[in-house]
Amino acid sequence: MTGPDGEARSTLMFREAAQCGQGLASFLERNRTVLKDLGARLRDWSPSMVVTCARGSSDNAATYGKYLIETRLGLPVSSAALSVSSVFEAPLSKSRALCLAISQSGRSPDLLTAVSRHQASGALVVALVNDEASPLADMADVVLPLSVGPELSVAATKSCLVSMAGITALVACWAQDDELDAALDTLPAALDRAFEQDWSGALPDLAEATNLFVVGRGFGFGVAQEAALKLKETCALHAEAFSAAEVRHGPMTIVGAGFPILALATSDAAGDSVRAAAADFAARGAHVHLADPVAQGISGLPAQAAHPAVEPLLQLLSFYRFANDLSLRRGLDPDSPPHLAKVTCTV
């Protein structure tokens, strides 16, 4: 996608992102029975709400899960403020909550403290974690190993995307959603195709950019958040993620001629909102780069059509390859962002 191509392919970020399809296949095979049993357990137990515990890319996966759980199961989902437990040591009242903990390492102290407090309050703890020898895996009532293999690049790719797909698999089993389950069966191969999608048309514009909006909605909002995080992390590009609805408030003032926009649309009604916002921005002279399965690449960035809930995951993998190339184009190393470490031990 960018030259020299050998340099782009040599990074850990490139190689690890390329493993997402196989990683998801491994996750589904490894966890098939556990997911089926967990779905039945949750239907019988009927939790009153879901609380997610995560930071960084894993928290973006949790946002994706929020929309999926709330639309498919009708349960409210809240992201836990981890410092409530780790810094303020505030007590939690008893609850019938599902605590969904998401982490690549399973070792961040504030996450572990928050999960422990929720577990003590009566929550059922389900952990999506890559390191099976981690304290989080030991603590959880049910462990869903991500099974993606070692992730060495500081920029998390396969662990984040497979966490999102893992939540999708959990929801499909819990809600007994045959259409979502069928979409998961074809997703590993679709991810392999998504990694080959060419988003290089956006490289010249973003190579010199200093600010950027990433716009999504619904199932795509968590992916927009993840894209904005990766642009900051790997490309030193100030990017902010907005819902296509929220961006029509104060942020609209910033967008004028030449302002870059990355927009991620889905084939459902939420995607219509993204397309409308993208059209408004383009009319102002903004440089809009739209990934849209409805337009099938006519809009600028090619995107596969699939079940609307998994279309953002396909776009995310195409984006990861693009972000790797953009980082190199900007003279950076996507594997070693300055001032960051693989395991962030926040308290």
Side-chain angles (χ1 to χ4, degrees):
M1 288 173 60
T2 185
D5 191 53
E7 182 186 14
R9 292 173 180 269
S10 70
T11 67
L12 289 168
M13 183 179 181
F14 180 96
R15 295 200 299 269
E16 290 173 357
Q19 296 166 9
C20 283
Q22 182 55 52
L24 175 56
S26 297
F27 172 87
L28 294 173
E29 180 63 27
R30 173 83 181 277
N31 293 286
R32 196 174 306 277
T33 299
V34 176
L35 284 164
K36 182 178 179 180
D37 292 346
L38 179 58
R41 180 177 181 178
L42 291 170
R43 287 194 300 275
D44 181 63
W45 188 52
S46 296
S48 58
M49 65 177 298
V50 178
V51 176
T52 61
C53 291
R55 283 208 187 276
S57 289
S58 295
D59 198 34
N60 297 331
T63 299
Y64 169 80
K66 171 183 173 69
Y67 282 89
L68 200 57
I69 293 168
E70 291 190 348
T71 58
R72 291 297 183 270
L73 292 157
L75 279 176
V77 180
S78 174
S79 175
L82 304 187
S83 62
V84 168
S85 297
S86 64
V87 175
F88 296 98
E89 300 182 352
L92 295 176
S93 57
K94 294 292 182 181
S95 70
R96 287 176 56 83
L98 168 63
C99 176
L100 191 58
I102 310 166
S103 175
Q104 194 285 135
S105 70
R107 296 179 182 279
S108 186
D110 61 347
L111 180 139
L112 295 172
T113 300
V115 170
S116 178
R117 291 291 180 89
H118 281 283
Q119 192 172 46
S121 76
L124 175 71
V125 174
V126 174
L128 284 151
V129 60
N130 198 37
D131 185 348
E132 296 178 56
S134 65
L136 177 60
D138 290 340
M139 179 187 302
D141 298 300
V142 180
V143 180
L144 296 172
L146 294 180
S147 305
V148 297
E151 188 174 59
L152 302 177
S153 177
V154 170
T157 53
K158 58 183 178 178
S159 63
C160 177
L161 197 149
V162 174
S163 292
M164 292 180 177
I167 297 170
T168 307
L170 170 58
V171 171
C173 289
W174 187 357
Q176 297 180 299
D177 188 325
D178 291 339
E179 289 187 4
L180 197 55
D181 193 53
L184 281 163
D185 286 341
T186 61
L187 187 55
L191 285 169
D192 289 340
R193 294 191 296 272
F195 191 68
E196 299 302 323
Q197 298 277 27
D198 184 4
W199 284 23
S200 62
L203 281 173
D205 186 30
L206 299 191
E208 303 300 326
T210 55
N211 295 285
L212 172 71
F213 282 177
V214 186
V215 179
R217 196 171 186 186
F219 302 127
F221 181 52
V223 168
Q225 290 179 318
E226 171 64 4
L229 175 63
K230 285 295 182 290
L231 289 169
K232 290 191 280 277
E233 184 178 43
T234 67
C235 302
L237 173 55
H238 178 226
E240 289 192 73
F242 288 101
S243 159
E246 191 66 29
V247 78
R248 293 182 177 279
H249 296 276
M252 286 285 278
T253 306
I254 298 175
V255 180
F259 190 89
I261 301 286
L262 177 60
L264 308 173
T266 46
S267 59
D268 56 6
D272 292 339
S273 177
V274 175
R275 282 182 282 274
D280 288 347
F281 289 143
R284 297 181 182 201
H287 292 173
V288 177
H289 304 281
L290 173 65
D292 184 1
V294 174
Q296 295 288 339
I298 297 172
S299 57
L301 302 178
Q304 296 180 66
H307 189 297
V310 304
E311 286 170 346
L313 307 190
L314 300 172
Q315 294 172 12
L316 179 57
L317 188 51
S318 299
F319 168 81
Y320 279 153
R321 180 167 180 172
F322 168 77
N324 176 77
D325 289 6
L326 180 61
S327 176
L328 294 170
R329 177 73 73 93
R330 290 169 69 93
L332 302 168
D333 179 359
D335 293 332
S336 300
H339 317 302
L340 295 176
K342 185 61 183 172
V343 179
T344 304
C345 292
T346 47
V347 294

